[in-house]
Amino acid sequence: MASTTRASSCSLRWRPTSNAMLEDTEKKILECLNSKYESKFVHLPTKQYNIWTLTVNPGCTDTVPLVLVHGMGGGIGLWILNLDELARDRTVYAIDLLGFGRSSRPGFSRNAERAEKKFVESIEEWRKQMGLEEFILLGHSLGGYISTSYTIQYPECVRHLILADPWGFPDKSEAREIPMKYRVIATIAKPFNPLAIMRVAGPWGPDLIKRFRGDLHAKFLGKLQDDTIYDYLYHCNARAPSGESAFRAMSDKLGRATNPMVERIQHVLNDIPLTMIHGENSWIKRDAAYQVKELRKDSSVNIEVISDAGHHVYADESDLFNQSVQKVFDQVEHSQRQENLGHLSNSAEQSQQTSGPSRRVEVAVESHL
């Protein structure tokens, strides 16, 4: 045990990161919020895990809440361009997925189905601990894949499913389109976690983030003027991999889902509306989205493509993305009003049925007399 602790301590010294540094960087991001918010660890007693949770506009009970699930290597801080607008008239919850950000970082099975199930079950236990009955579920990339799996398992909790450039949908036939040299590289890299090079780089890791994701500064310039977003991503991912290892278990050697979601989308109940928001310039192809729409002819499936946006569509064109999500809010609220009218109509009909026989008796008596 002592040798393991010393090894961990040495690796953290080699990689300039810590839980405290991640916490401080996240605070700098959340200070940009204009809305009231709360953040806390939500304890999951079954496995003794903690899910780091941000609640924006808490206590708003008039509308259906929104739950945000980030993508691979992300965290709650990446939603900073969306939170104020999306929480204007409702409570918004953003979570660090199990194995990412500030949430617990347990070991995951190398089996794709079991790794996926662990993500899904952690979200369900989190929901119970938060006391949420239903919500709009929005997932980006890997978060979209997990959100769809959650909706299949727990349909009664999801009012509307929103997928932002989701990973893991295309079937494996698309792998044939990838040039051979990239397949060879992917095969060599498969035994390693996706972000291993950043950790191996040690003190040069933060520079790698800037070099390979130089576009991030411009995306978040409206909120963050310095390198905070780079620091945040580094501290989210520089520690020992957890959720990242689960992602590797769930993907094939080419980075595609072992169990493609397009082959399972039929298991999402037809009465759950689906909105898919894609970036026009994303590396994720939209073919699967139209395939989903074709497969779900008896369900509401809306596909929106945002111009000049890439994979991080929520940040590339945040205003347009927020508008697309607002359309979903309007749709959900319209559905609620229709349901309420239906309940009132049913109540009135039941009342008439109850009082009807007595009135008929009175009429009959009067006629007889």
Side-chain angles (χ1 to χ4, degrees), residues 10-18 22 72-74 99-101 105 189 192-213 216 228-245:
C10 290
S11 64
L12 288 177
R13 284 198 296 270
W14 171 247
R15 301 190 300 268
T17 189
S18 67
L22 173 57
M72 168 65 190
F100 290 101
R105 304 172 76 87
F192 303 98
N193 284 303
L195 299 175
I197 188 173
M198 181 191 66
R199 287 182 288 273
V200 172
W204 295 279
D207 290 332
L208 284 179
I209 294 283
K210 294 179 186 178
R211 179 172 298 183
F212 289 103
R213 294 307 314 275
L216 286 176
T228 300
I229 197 65
Y230 295 118
D231 295 339
Y232 177 70
L233 280 177
Y234 178 75
H235 294 311
C236 274
N237 295 289
R239 290 174 295 161
S242 174
E244 182 184 340
S245 298

Side-chain angles (χ1 to χ4, degrees), residues 314-326:
Y314 61 92
D316 293 337
E317 294 290 340
S318 58
D319 289 342
L320 294 176
F321 179 82
N322 293 341
Q323 290 172 23
S324 294
V325 178
Q326 184 61 53

Side-chain angles (χ1 to χ4, degrees), residues 343-362:
H343 291 322
L344 289 174
S345 177
N346 289 336
S347 297
E349 184 176 343
Q350 290 173 0
S351 177
Q352 289 177 356
Q353 290 174 352
T354 302
S355 59
S358 62
R359 286 199 297 271
R360 285 196 294 272
V361 170
E362 291 172 1

Side-chain angles (χ1 to χ4, degrees), residues 122-260:
S122 68
I123 294 176
E124 171 60 7
E125 190 169 1
W126 171 85
R127 179 196 69 80
K128 291 178 179 178
Q129 294 301 311
M130 295 296 291
L132 298 179
E133 293 185 3
E134 65 172 5
F135 45 82
I136 300 164
L137 185 57
L138 192 166
H140 169 251
S141 194
L142 172 63
Y145 182 89
I146 294 169
S147 295
T148 307
S149 182
Y150 177 88
T151 304
I152 291 172
Q153 295 297 317
Y154 301 99
E156 68 279 3
C157 302
V158 180
R159 190 66 185 241
H160 195 119
L161 177 62
I162 307 175
L163 304 176
D165 225 52
W167 169 85
F169 271 68
D171 60 38
K172 297 174 184 177
S173 64
E174 288 193 14
R176 292 193 294 267
E177 302 175 13
I178 300 176
M180 179 58 68
K181 65 177 181 179
Y182 293 118
R183 296 190 203 182
V184 172
I185 293 172
T187 301
I188 295 172
K190 175 60 179 174
F192 303 98
N193 284 303
L195 299 175
I197 188 173
M198 181 191 66
R199 287 182 288 273
V200 172
W204 295 279
D207 290 332
L208 284 179
I209 294 283
K210 294 179 186 178
R211 179 172 298 183
F212 289 103
R213 294 307 314 275
D215 58 315
L216 286 176
H217 187 270
K219 296 182 197 299
F220 291 88
L221 192 59
K223 291 283 187 180
L224 306 169
Q225 304 298 321
D226 53 16
D227 289 343
T228 300
I229 197 65
Y230 295 118
D231 295 339
Y232 177 70
L233 280 177
Y234 178 75
H235 294 311
C236 274
N237 295 289
R239 290 174 295 161
S242 174
E244 182 184 340
S245 298
F247 172 78
R248 180 163 63 93
M250 292 160 56
S251 58
D252 63 19
K253 64 182 181 181
L254 296 172
R256 300 178 185 277
T258 302
N259 300 309

